């Protein structure tokens, strides 16, 4: 197995980790984060657009998002899109600025969010393990076709396994941090 192919498997694992981190960033933890508004789609200019394409989102306080809308005619559309997105947010229009207070989470909702985060974590681990399996199959096939020696197969196997173990540990660490953040009162 050449270095390029090995790097492709490592890159796939890294991309799985990025997707996992992105999924977690969208979970509402009671603190303001611009990523909360990522799934919100606004009717604008005869199409569908993200808020980040229509306004600047700031965090002036830990429990408040401030949205500076660039086109005054879209303020109502953005406010309506946030309200209708099912995020449990209640935007307030203040001229060309929309303020979005982030309500406190109930204990029940916090526990629900930790379960969702745990599921994201498990899915990320499965993805990493599937990539490992594909890489192992690839190197076994390479060895069977006499493209690499048994010693090379063993070395590459160890590299892939170590990379897999590192990514799984990283996922566990990220999950632990997110769980603390969610359960913090």
């Amino acid at each position: 197995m050449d270095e390029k192919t090995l790097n492709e498997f490592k890159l796939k694992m890294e991309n799985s980790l990025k997707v996992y981190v992105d999924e977690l960033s969208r979970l509402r933890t009671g603190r303001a984060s611009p990523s909360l508004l990522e799934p919100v789609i606004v009717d604008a200019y005869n199409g569908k657009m993200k808020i980040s394409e229509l306004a600047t989102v700031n965090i002036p306080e830990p429990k408040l998002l401030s949205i500076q809308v660039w086109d005054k005619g879209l303020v109502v559309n953005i406010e309506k899109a946030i309200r209708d997105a099912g995020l449990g947010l209640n935007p307030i229009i203040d001229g060309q600025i929309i303020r979005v207070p982030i309500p406190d989470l109930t204990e029940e909702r916090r526990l629900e969010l930790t379960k969702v985060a745990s599921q994201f974590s498990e899915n990320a681990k499965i993805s990493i393990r599937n990539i490992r399996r594909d890489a192992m199959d690839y190197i076994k096939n390479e060895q069977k076709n006499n493209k690499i020696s048994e010693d090379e197969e063993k070395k590459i196997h160890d590299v892939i396994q170590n990379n897999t173990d590192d990514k799984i540990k990283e996922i566990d660490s990220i999950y632990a941090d997110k769980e603390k953040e969610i359960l913090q009162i």
Side-chain angles (χ1 to χ4, degrees):
M1 175 186 270
D2 59 3
E3 194 66 31
K4 183 180 177 222
T5 307
L6 187 60
N7 285 335
E8 285 177 20
F9 285 113
K10 286 180 179 180
L11 185 62
K12 284 181 183 180
M13 285 186 184
E14 197 58 47
N15 287 338
S16 287
L17 192 65
K18 284 180 186 170
V19 168
Y20 168 63
V21 169
D22 189 45
E23 285 175 332
L24 279 185
S25 72
R26 288 193 173 98
L27 281 182
R28 191 164 75 100
T29 60
R31 289 186 10 215
S33 169
S35 63
L36 286 174
L37 300 176
E38 280 296 313
V40 179
I41 302 296
V42 181
D43 288 324
Y45 307 119
N46 298 322
K48 307 274 185 193
M49 299 179 82
K50 292 182 174 188
I51 289 178
S52 59
E53 298 170 322
L54 303 168
T56 305
V57 180
N58 294 308
I59 308 169
E61 298 172 27
K63 293 197 174 268
L64 180 70
L65 289 172
S66 172
I67 304 165
Q68 176 69 49
V69 183
W70 300 323
D71 181 349
K72 191 173 187 172
L74 294 175
V75 172
V76 173
N77 294 24
I78 292 174
E79 184 262 351
K80 181 179 179 342
I82 294 169
R83 200 174 294 281
D84 296 345
L87 298 172
L89 301 174
N90 233 351
I92 302 162
I93 296 175
D94 182 10
Q96 243 178 288
I97 295 175
I98 301 173
R99 300 189 197 293
V100 185
I102 308 299
D104 288 331
L105 296 173
T106 64
E107 188 63 29
E108 182 181 310
R109 181 69 177 135
R110 288 177 191 278
L111 294 174
E112 206 176 287
L113 285 173
T114 59
K115 287 178 186 171
V116 172
S118 175
Q119 188 60 50
F120 286 162
S121 175
E122 199 50 47
N123 290 344
K125 289 178 188 179
I126 289 168
S127 175
I128 296 292
R129 290 183 190 120
N130 286 340
I131 294 166
R132 177 193 60 195
R133 186 196 62 230
D134 292 345
M136 297 301 186
D137 290 347
Y138 182 84
I139 61 170
K140 282 179 189 168
N141 196 28
E142 290 285 291
Q143 200 278 321
K144 193 170 26 171
N145 292 331
N146 296 320
K147 291 184 180 177
I148 60 173
S149 68
E150 284 185 39
D151 288 345
E152 285 179 295
E153 178 190 8
K154 177 69 175 132
K155 269 192 239 176
I156 296 167
H157 177 277
D158 291 345
V159 168
I160 292 169
Q161 187 60 49
N162 287 338
N163 197 27
T164 301
D165 293 343
D166 290 346
K167 294 299 179 216
I168 297 290
K169 284 178 191 167
E170 202 171 335
I171 289 168
D172 287 338
S173 172
I174 292 168
Y175 170 70
D177 291 345
K178 190 65 172 186
E179 185 180 38
K180 276 187 221 165
E181 184 183 332
I182 291 170
L183 294 176
Q184 229 173 31
I185 296 175

